Every structure is written in structure tokens, then in C-alpha cells.
Amino acid sequence: MSFAYALTFFCDALLYYGVIGCLGLLGACPENLFLAPVILLCACWLSGRLTGRGQGWLRWLPMTMAVPALIVVSNWPGRIATLPAVVYLPLYVYNNRRAPDYDYAADRFRHSLIAMGVALFLAALFRAASWKRGLPYLFLYFTLNMTLLRLLRHDDRVARSRRFRVINLAGVTLVCVAGFALSQPAVIAALRALWNWFLENVVLNLLALVAMAIQYVLFGLAWVFSRVFGMDGLMDAGMPALNSPDANQALLPRTAAEVRVLPAWVQYALKGIGIALVIVLGFVILRALSRRIGRTEIQSGTDRRESLDAEAPREPRLRLRRRDAQDGVRHWYRKALSLIRARGGRVAATMNTLQIQQENADAVDYAAMDALREIYLPVRYGEREAGRENVVQAKAAYERLKKGGG
């Protein structure tokens, strides 16, 4: 899951570049600015690969790639724009040892639409000369976020299958082809002609029907008023007069002498305090955004993974487990989850098997849990029918978990 771990960071970085790009803050940046987040993506992926290897300091080695990420950008405006992403990377690695679960990632994506909508609204309002530079980042953010959600929704065994990879690669390719097509003037002209036809022949006719319906409703109300109250018509009420044209200047200074100018040292002190507050506020925001907390208290209604919550299916009786090898394998896996929780580990309904194994490496035997997963996953996802030997192997792996420790 190191790819999902790095892809989560990369999506955040793309959203950041897309938002500031739509606000016109990337106008002075060079064309090779996109190389900086790609280098940081590689650093985050290496850190995810080195996490949990026994030496905690190993995951900090890829942080040195932040230096070439700043050097590859050829001017200072680009380096200043890249600096928040460089600061965000070690905060993300420090606060997260694994990728977030699906439910939290989906909620975070829905909340990011608010920031994206505000950025696009401001871009349409101010129309900076370089606002279009942020659109490719937003486009790539949408595409890769959908891929990330697919990865987090399935278990790692399914995510590593060839069919799953081909489907996701085809989806990303089609979206990129659509984005390239939308950048061509001929395609834009054809879509504009299609939209104008739809507007003139469909939308305007619907609006005319709605206006006619409203007109008949108002006519009916006027007829009712005339019959009930004896009114022949409604009187038009004039709008009250607003303030005079000179009223909006009543509070403004009339002469230059009325304007108080602060001393120079006070102005510099206020500017310094303002810059310091912006830096501190930016660091606090990046630190808060880097913490990825899973929805451990909420169980997804469509998630059919093994669960220890009250909503989990009732444990089958011993006789049924002996008749059905699949229920037998799942029984020993649920017992392993109970053992992990009894030893103080963390087991959530939104976590897949690999996330449970990595999260609780200190509570149970890592190799025994990996052996139990090798037996459980094919049975869980229907890759093969379970036999009695699989039940025996699952029980043996559970006994190893019970005897051993982290």
C-alpha cells in the first residue's frame, strides 16, 4: 500500500497547486514547476516503502529529496510556491504510517470540493492572466483521486491483480485523452455549437413553458382576489429611495490633512508581525491537514469485511464450520482479530487486512499474521474454494499468533 500512501500526499499537493494556480499565483513560475511535486511523490513513496522495516529513522532518508525538488525549479517564485509542499511532506510522514481508509479519504475529497469551488469562484471574479495554469493540476487531482479511492476500497490482493490494474490504467488514460481533446480548439468549437443548439431548442422552450405556467398561476390568483376582495388590480408600490449619491462619501476624508500616516517604524513592525502570523498560521494549517484520522467508529453499510462490532454476522456453530470450510477459515481470522484487540491493538471496520497487519505489528507475530492472510484472502474474495486443509492451516497460523508476540 506504499503507492496509495504516496498517492494520498500527491493528491494533496496537486490540489494545493491547482488552487493557487487558479488564483493567479503561478504566473511567474517556470514551466518545469510540475517536476517538484513529482520528486516529492517519489520521496513519499520511498518513505512509505521504508516504514515498518524495524529502523524508524529509515523513513526520513527520502526527505533529502526535497532539496532537488527546490533546485529543479529554475526561479525563486517557483521555489516559494513549492516551499509549502516541501514543508507538508515531513509533516505527512510524521503523522501517518499508512494510507488512510476509504471512508475518510472520501470525506476529505468531498470537503476539498469547497476549497476548489472557492478558488474557481475567485478565479472567475478576478480573472488573473495566469488563472488557467491551475486547471491542469485540478484536472489531474480529480483523476488520481478517483484512482486512490478505488485502491483504498479494495484489499491489497485485489489491488495487485492484473485485471484491477488494467481497469484503473484504462480509466486514467481515457480521462487524460478527454482532457487533451478538450484542449483542442476544434473540439471546443463543436461542443460550443452543440451547447448552443441545446440551449435554443431545449432549454429556452422549457423556460417558456415555465414562464407560461407562472403567468397562468398569477392570473388565477388575481382573479381570486378580484372575486373575494372586490379588487380590480394590484397597486404598484414604489421602491423607497436609497441614500443620496453623496451619502457614501460622508465618512471618507475630504482632504489629505485628515488622513493620518503612521510612522515608518510602526509600518515595518506591523508588516513583520503580519508576515510572522501568516507563516505560523500556514504551518498550523499544514500540520492539521497532514493528520489523517480514519473513521474507526463508523462502519460502512456496504463493507463486508470481517468485523468485531455488534453489527457483525453471528458466529456459525461448530457443526456448520466443519461442514463449510470457508466459514471455518473466516472463523479463525475473526479469532485473530479478537486476539489483536485483546492485546491492545487497533482493529477497525474500515481497515483492510494489510492495514490491520501493519498497524498491529507490535501486538502479534507479523509473519504468522501474513500466513493467515495468505489463507484468508483467496477464500474471502472467491479466488478459490476453501478445503479442509485451509482450515487446518488457518488454525495453525492462529495458534502461532496466540503463542508469539510482536
Side-chain angles (χ1 to χ4, degrees):
M1 296 294 286
S2 57
F3 179 71
Y5 179 84
L7 190 58
T8 305
F9 163 79
F10 191 55
C11 287
D12 289 347
L14 291 175
L15 179 62
Y16 159 73
Y17 281 104
V19 169
I20 66 173
C22 289
L23 296 179
L25 301 180
L26 297 181
C29 298
E31 294 295 334
N32 64 344
L33 180 66
F34 70 94
L35 294 177
V38 172
I39 294 176
L40 296 178
L41 168 66
C42 297
C44 189
W45 175 76
L46 289 174
S47 180
R49 295 282 294 179
L50 297 175
T51 300
R53 297 298 179 90
Q55 301 290 337
W57 57 271
L58 286 176
R59 63 184 181 135
W60 296 105
L61 289 179
M63 298 299 104
T64 57
M65 297 179 66
V67 177
L70 291 174
I71 294 177
V72 73
V73 183
S74 57
N75 62 4
W76 281 105
R79 292 166 186 164
I80 294 175
T82 306
L83 187 60
V86 171
V87 176
Y88 181 70
L89 177 59
L91 293 175
Y92 176 80
V93 174
Y94 176 77
N95 290 313
N96 305 276
R97 298 184 67 89
R98 60 178 180 83
D101 55 60
Y102 171 82
D103 296 304
Y104 181 77
D107 283 345
R108 194 178 177 96
F109 174 67
R110 285 192 291 266
H111 294 156
S112 69
L113 297 179
I114 300 175
M116 200 177 308
V118 172
L120 293 176
F121 172 76
L122 295 177
L125 185 63
F126 298 108
R127 294 300 297 270
S130 62
W131 72 275
K132 293 183 179 180
R133 294 200 59 178
L135 296 181
Y137 293 100
L138 292 182
F139 182 80
L140 193 58
Y141 169 76
F142 270 110
T143 306
L144 294 182
N145 219 301
M146 294 299 103
T147 303
L148 174 64
L149 292 177
R150 293 193 191 100
L151 289 174
L152 297 178
R153 187 64 184 89
H154 297 82
D155 203 282
D156 64 309
R157 178 65 61 87
V158 179
R160 291 176 181 176
S161 65
R162 181 177 299 177
R163 177 176 177 272
F164 185 83
R165 292 181 177 182
V166 169
I167 290 176
N168 281 276
L169 182 61
V172 174
T173 304
L174 289 176
V175 172
C176 293
V177 169
F180 176 77
L182 292 176
S183 64
Q184 303 301 312
V187 177
I188 296 297
L191 291 177
R192 185 180 294 111
L194 181 62
W195 168 252
N196 290 334
W197 179 88
F198 179 76
L199 184 65
E200 294 176 359
N201 295 275
V202 178
V203 176
L204 292 181
N205 291 332
L206 291 177
L207 291 178
L209 291 176
V210 172
M212 184 179 298
I214 295 175
Q215 181 180 0
Y216 277 107
V217 170
L218 294 178
F219 178 79
L221 291 176
W223 183 84
V224 170
F225 272 99
S226 64
R227 297 300 181 184
V228 176
F229 300 103
M231 299 173 59
D232 294 332
L234 298 177
M235 298 180 63
D236 296 331
M239 293 296 291
L242 300 177
N243 295 332
S244 61
D246 298 331
N248 57 349
Q249 299 182 1
L251 299 178
L252 298 178
R254 295 182 177 84
T255 61
E258 297 180 10
V259 181
R260 295 184 58 186
V261 180
L262 296 175
W265 67 272
V266 177
Q267 297 182 18
Y268 286 121
L270 292 176
K271 291 180 181 179
I273 294 173
I275 294 174
L277 288 176
V278 169
I279 294 175
V280 172
L281 181 62
F283 180 79
V284 171
I285 293 175
L286 290 177
R287 183 180 179 183
L289 293 176
S290 66
R291 295 179 178 177
R292 305 240 168 200
I293 305 174
R295 291 171 50 185
T296 58
E297 297 84 5
I298 302 175
Q299 181 181 2
S300 175
T302 59
D303 198 344
R304 299 180 57 189
R305 298 189 181 105
E306 306 301 322
S307 174
L308 300 179
D309 299 334
E311 295 81 2
R314 181 175 297 179
E315 185 71 17
R317 295 190 302 271
L318 178 60
R319 181 182 301 177
L320 295 179
R321 292 203 308 268
R322 288 179 175 177
R323 291 181 178 178
D324 192 342
Q326 182 176 1
D327 285 338
V329 173
R330 301 182 75 159
H331 162 74
W332 291 113
Y333 182 76
R334 279 193 292 270
K335 290 202 44 98
L337 298 184
S338 300
L339 177 64
I340 293 174
R341 181 172 290 181
R343 293 183 178 179
R346 177 171 175 266
V347 178
T350 54
M351 297 169 62
N352 59 34
T353 61
L354 181 60
Q355 291 172 339
I356 294 174
Q357 180 186 9
Q358 293 177 345
E359 186 75 15
N360 303 284
D362 298 332
V364 294
D365 187 356
Y366 193 88
M369 189 64 186
D370 190 64
L372 183 58
R373 289 179 61 249
E374 290 293 329
I375 303 168
Y376 167 74
L377 286 176
V379 176
R380 163 67 177 82
Y381 290 100
E383 294 182 7
R384 67 167 183 260
E385 294 292 335
R388 289 300 307 162
E389 66 279 2
N390 299 124
V391 180
V392 175
Q393 294 170 359
K395 182 180 179 180
Y398 170 75
E399 295 297 335
R400 289 172 55 191
L401 285 174
K402 192 174 180 180
K403 293 178 181 179

